[in-house]
Amino acid sequence: MKVHTTNYFDTFIQVAEDTKTDCGIKPTSKDEKKTIAEMQYDLIARHPYRYTSDDVLFQVFAARNDLSEAEYTQARDQFFSKGQACFRASPLTKTYGFGVHCNSEGKIAIFGVETAEYEKFAVDPDLKKVKAMKSSRK
């Protein structure tokens, strides 16, 4: 079975060109159920450079589908047997004003577009830069 990945290495995912914010905004819940953006934010903001993109995307999937830890290995294999949208398509990079830095191990951290760290990564010649996907097709 082919295994897909969303991990980037030595890469900075910049905010989408059509983002409507000029600073990183913490996502909030619409009701008592957390949004995908809020779940991603909580995992990455609390533990910068602890998880890879694959780890975060799967953890959010597992939480939203009430999977037990005993189901993780099989469910993760199944989840990544199909291609998944990477953090270029995340609401954090498209809507909420966060860039995602992926280090040499593929571990990620987020930085608001207004921060000095964001600017440092945006001009770092040793990092590959990719833009988040636009929200609209225009």
Side-chain angles (χ1 to χ4, degrees), residues 6-7 36-45 47-64 76 79-80 85 87 90 92 100 106-110:
T6 64
N7 294 339
I36 288 173
E38 189 177 13
M39 294 169 86
Q40 289 177 347
Y41 177 90
D42 286 347
L43 275 172
I44 303 166
H47 307 285
Y49 299 114
R50 177 189 246 177
Y51 301 113
T52 65
S53 173
D54 284 356
D55 295 337
V56 173
L57 296 175
F58 179 73
Q59 284 285 31
V60 169
F61 170 81
R64 290 179 62 85
R76 188 174 170 122
F79 184 74
F80 288 111
F87 265 87
S90 167
L92 295 179
V100 178
K107 309 280 179 140
I108 63 175
I110 55 175

Coordinates of all heavy atoms in Angstrom, one line a residue, residues 6-7 36-45 47-64 76 79-80 85 87 90 92 100 106-110:
T6 N 2.3 14.6 4.1 CA 2.1 16.1 4.0 C 3.3 16.8 4.5 O 3.3 18.0 4.6 CB 0.8 16.5 4.7 OG1 1.0 16.3 6.1 CG2 -0.4 15.8 4.2
N7 N 4.3 16.1 5.0 CA 5.4 16.7 5.6 C 6.3 17.5 4.6 O 6.5 17.1 3.5 CB 6.3 15.7 6.3 CG 5.6 15.0 7.5 OD1 4.6 15.6 8.0 ND2 6.0 13.8 7.9
I36 N -11.6 22.6 13.2 CA -10.3 22.0 12.7 C -9.2 23.0 13.0 O -8.2 22.7 13.5 CB -10.4 21.6 11.3 CG1 -11.3 20.4 11.1 CG2 -9.0 21.4 10.7 CD1 -11.6 20.0 9.7
A37 N -9.5 24.3 12.6 CA -8.4 25.3 12.9 C -8.1 25.4 14.3 O -6.9 25.5 14.7 CB -8.9 26.7 12.3
E38 N -9.0 25.4 15.2 CA -8.8 25.5 16.6 C -8.0 24.3 17.1 O -7.0 24.5 17.9 CB -10.1 25.6 17.4 CG -10.0 25.9 18.8 CD -11.3 26.1 19.5 OE1 -12.3 25.8 19.0 OE2 -11.3 26.6 20.7
M39 N -8.3 23.1 16.7 CA -7.6 21.9 17.1 C -6.2 21.9 16.6 O -5.2 21.6 17.3 CB -8.3 20.7 16.6 CG -9.7 20.5 17.2 SD -10.7 19.2 16.4 CE -10.1 17.8 17.3
Q40 N -6.0 22.3 15.3 CA -4.6 22.4 14.8 C -3.8 23.5 15.6 O -2.7 23.2 16.0 CB -4.6 22.8 13.3 CG -5.1 21.8 12.4 CD -5.2 22.2 10.9 OE1 -5.2 23.4 10.6 NE2 -5.4 21.3 10.0
Y41 N -4.4 24.6 15.8 CA -3.7 25.7 16.6 C -3.3 25.2 17.9 O -2.2 25.4 18.4 CB -4.7 26.9 16.7 CG -4.1 28.0 17.5 CD1 -3.3 29.0 16.9 CD2 -4.2 28.1 18.9 CE1 -2.7 30.0 17.6 CE2 -3.6 29.1 19.6 CZ -2.9 30.1 19.0 OH -2.3 31.1 19.7
D42 N -4.2 24.6 18.7 CA -3.9 24.1 20.0 C -2.7 23.1 20.0 O -1.9 23.3 20.9 CB -5.2 23.4 20.7 CG -6.2 24.4 21.1 OD1 -5.9 25.7 21.1 OD2 -7.4 24.0 21.4
L43 N -2.7 22.2 19.1 CA -1.6 21.2 19.1 C -0.3 21.9 18.8 O 0.7 21.6 19.5 CB -1.9 20.2 18.0 CG -2.8 19.0 18.4 CD1 -3.1 18.1 17.2 CD2 -2.1 18.1 19.5
I44 N -0.3 22.8 17.8 CA 1.0 23.4 17.4 C 1.5 24.5 18.3 O 2.6 24.5 18.7 CB 0.9 23.9 15.9 CG1 0.5 22.8 15.0 CG2 2.2 24.5 15.5 CD1 0.0 23.3 13.6
A45 N 0.6 25.3 18.8 CA 0.9 26.4 19.6 C 1.4 26.0 21.0 O 2.4 26.5 21.6 CB -0.2 27.4 19.8
H47 N 2.8 23.0 21.5 CA 4.0 22.1 21.4 C 4.7 22.5 20.1 O 4.8 21.6 19.2 CB 3.6 20.7 21.4 CG 2.7 20.3 22.5 ND1 3.2 20.1 23.8 CD2 1.4 20.0 22.6 CE1 2.2 19.7 24.6 NE2 1.1 19.7 23.9
P48 N 5.3 23.7 20.0 CA 6.1 24.0 18.8 C 7.2 23.0 18.5 O 7.9 22.6 19.5 CB 6.6 25.4 19.0 CG 6.4 25.7 20.4 CD 5.4 24.7 21.0
Y49 N 7.4 22.6 17.3 CA 8.4 21.7 16.8 C 8.4 20.3 17.5 O 9.4 19.6 17.6 CB 9.8 22.3 17.0 CG 10.0 23.6 16.2 CD1 10.1 24.8 16.8 CD2 9.9 23.5 14.8 CE1 10.3 26.0 16.1 CE2 10.1 24.7 14.0 CZ 10.2 25.9 14.7 OH 10.4 27.0 13.9
R50 N 7.2 19.9 18.0 CA 7.1 18.6 18.6 C 6.5 17.6 17.5 O 6.8 16.4 17.5 CB 6.2 18.6 19.8 CG 5.9 17.2 20.3 CD 4.9 17.1 21.4 NE 5.5 16.8 22.7 CZ 4.8 16.8 23.8 NH1 3.5 17.1 23.8 NH2 5.4 16.4 24.9
Y51 N 5.6 18.1 16.7 CA 4.9 17.3 15.7 C 5.2 17.6 14.3 O 5.5 18.8 14.0 CB 3.3 17.5 15.9 CG 2.8 17.1 17.3 CD1 2.3 18.1 18.1 CD2 2.9 15.8 17.8 CE1 1.9 17.8 19.4 CE2 2.4 15.5 19.0 CZ 1.9 16.5 19.8 OH 1.4 16.2 21.1
T52 N 5.1 16.6 13.4 CA 5.1 16.9 12.0 C 3.7 17.2 11.5 O 2.7 17.1 12.2 CB 5.6 15.6 11.2 OG1 4.6 14.6 11.4 CG2 6.9 15.1 11.7
S53 N 3.6 17.7 10.3 CA 2.3 18.0 9.7 C 1.5 16.7 9.7 O 0.3 16.8 10.1 CB 2.6 18.5 8.3 OG 1.4 18.6 7.6
D54 N 2.0 15.6 9.3 CA 1.3 14.3 9.3 C 0.7 14.1 10.7 O -0.5 13.6 10.9 CB 2.1 13.1 8.9 CG 2.4 13.1 7.4 OD1 1.8 13.9 6.7 OD2 3.1 12.2 7.0
D55 N 1.5 14.3 11.8 CA 1.1 14.0 13.2 C -0.1 14.9 13.5 O -1.1 14.4 14.1 CB 2.2 14.3 14.2 CG 3.4 13.4 14.1 OD1 3.3 12.3 13.5 OD2 4.5 13.9 14.5
V56 N -0.1 16.2 13.2 CA -1.1 17.1 13.5 C -2.4 16.7 12.8 O -3.5 16.7 13.3 CB -0.7 18.6 13.3 CG1 -1.9 19.5 13.4 CG2 0.4 19.0 14.2
L57 N -2.3 16.5 11.5 CA -3.5 16.2 10.7 C -4.1 14.9 11.1 O -5.4 14.9 11.2 CB -3.1 16.2 9.2 CG -2.6 17.5 8.6 CD1 -2.2 17.3 7.1 CD2 -3.7 18.6 8.6
F58 N -3.3 13.9 11.4 CA -3.9 12.7 11.9 C -4.6 12.9 13.3 O -5.6 12.3 13.5 CB -2.9 11.5 11.9 CG -3.6 10.3 12.4 CD1 -4.5 9.6 11.6 CD2 -3.3 9.8 13.7 CE1 -5.2 8.5 12.1 CE2 -4.0 8.7 14.2 CZ -4.9 8.0 13.4
Q59 N -3.9 13.6 14.2 CA -4.4 13.8 15.5 C -5.8 14.5 15.5 O -6.7 14.1 16.2 CB -3.5 14.6 16.4 CG -2.3 13.8 16.9 CD -2.7 12.9 18.1 OE1 -3.7 12.3 18.2 NE2 -1.7 12.7 18.9
V60 N -5.9 15.4 14.6 CA -7.2 16.2 14.4 C -8.3 15.2 13.9 O -9.4 15.1 14.4 CB -7.0 17.4 13.6 CG1 -8.4 18.0 13.2 CG2 -6.2 18.4 14.3
F61 N -7.9 14.4 12.9 CA -8.8 13.4 12.3 C -9.2 12.4 13.4 O -10.4 12.1 13.5 CB -8.1 12.7 11.1 CG -8.8 11.5 10.6 CD1 -9.9 11.6 9.8 CD2 -8.5 10.2 11.1 CE1 -10.6 10.5 9.3 CE2 -9.2 9.1 10.6 CZ -10.2 9.2 9.7
A62 N -8.3 11.9 14.2 CA -8.6 10.9 15.2 C -9.5 11.5 16.2 O -10.5 10.9 16.7 CB -7.3 10.4 15.8
A63 N -9.3 12.7 16.7 CA -10.1 13.4 17.7 C -11.5 13.6 17.1 O -12.5 13.4 17.8 CB -9.5 14.7 18.1
R64 N -11.6 14.1 15.9 CA -13.0 14.3 15.3 C -13.8 13.1 15.1 O -15.0 13.1 15.0 CB -12.8 15.2 14.0 CG -12.3 16.6 14.3 CD -12.1 17.4 13.0 NE -13.4 17.6 12.3 CZ -14.2 18.5 12.5 NH1 -14.1 19.4 13.4 NH2 -15.3 18.6 11.7
R76 N -4.2 5.3 11.0 CA -3.3 6.2 10.4 C -2.8 5.7 9.1 O -2.7 6.4 8.1 CB -2.1 6.4 11.4 CG -1.1 7.5 10.9 CD 0.0 7.8 11.9 NE 1.0 8.6 11.3 CZ 1.4 9.8 11.8 NH1 0.8 10.3 12.9 NH2 2.3 10.5 11.2
F79 N -5.6 6.4 6.7 CA -5.7 7.8 6.5 C -4.7 8.3 5.4 O -5.0 9.0 4.5 CB -5.5 8.5 7.8 CG -5.6 10.0 7.8 CD1 -6.9 10.6 7.6 CD2 -4.6 10.9 7.8 CE1 -7.1 12.0 7.6 CE2 -4.7 12.3 7.8 CZ -6.0 12.8 7.7
F80 N -3.4 7.8 5.6 CA -2.4 8.2 4.7 C -2.2 7.3 3.4 O -1.3 7.5 2.6 CB -1.0 8.4 5.4 CG -1.0 9.6 6.3 CD1 -1.0 9.5 7.7 CD2 -1.1 10.9 5.7 CE1 -1.0 10.6 8.5 CE2 -1.1 12.0 6.6 CZ -1.1 11.9 7.9
A85 N -4.8 16.8 2.2 CA -4.4 18.2 2.0 C -3.3 18.6 3.1 O -3.4 18.3 4.2 CB -5.6 19.1 2.2
F87 N -0.6 21.6 5.0 CA -0.8 22.8 5.7 C -1.0 24.0 4.8 O -1.3 25.1 5.2 CB 0.2 23.1 6.8 CG -0.3 22.6 8.1 CD1 -0.1 21.3 8.5 CD2 -0.9 23.4 9.0 CE1 -0.6 20.8 9.7 CE2 -1.4 22.9 10.2 CZ -1.2 21.6 10.5
S90 N -4.5 24.6 5.1 CA -5.0 24.8 6.5 C -5.7 26.1 6.7 O -5.2 27.1 6.1 CB -3.9 24.6 7.5 OG -4.3 25.1 8.8
L92 N -5.4 27.8 9.2 CA -4.4 28.6 9.9 C -3.6 29.5 8.9 O -3.3 30.7 9.2 CB -3.4 27.8 10.7 CG -4.0 27.0 11.9 CD1 -2.9 26.2 12.5 CD2 -4.7 27.9 12.9
V100 N 3.7 28.6 8.6 CA 4.2 27.4 9.3 C 5.6 27.1 8.9 O 5.9 27.0 7.7 CB 3.3 26.2 8.8 CG1 3.8 24.9 9.4 CG2 1.8 26.4 9.1
G106 N 11.2 18.0 9.8 CA 9.8 18.0 9.4 C 8.8 18.4 10.5 O 7.6 18.4 10.4
K107 N 9.4 18.8 11.7 CA 8.6 19.3 12.8 C 8.1 20.7 12.6 O 8.9 21.5 12.0 CB 9.3 19.2 14.1 CG 10.0 17.8 14.4 CD 9.0 16.8 14.9 CE 9.7 15.5 15.1 NZ 9.3 14.8 16.3
I108 N 6.9 21.1 13.0 CA 6.4 22.4 12.7 C 6.1 23.3 13.8 O 5.8 22.8 15.0 CB 5.1 22.2 11.8 CG1 4.0 21.5 12.6 CG2 5.4 21.5 10.5 CD1 2.6 21.4 11.8
A109 N 6.1 24.6 13.6 CA 5.7 25.6 14.5 C 5.0 26.7 13.7 O 5.2 26.8 12.5 CB 6.9 26.2 15.2
I110 N 4.1 27.5 14.4 CA 3.4 28.5 13.7 C 3.8 29.9 14.2 O 4.2 30.1 15.3 CB 1.8 28.4 13.8 CG1 1.4 28.3 15.3 CG2 1.3 27.2 13.0 CD1 -0.1 28.3 15.5

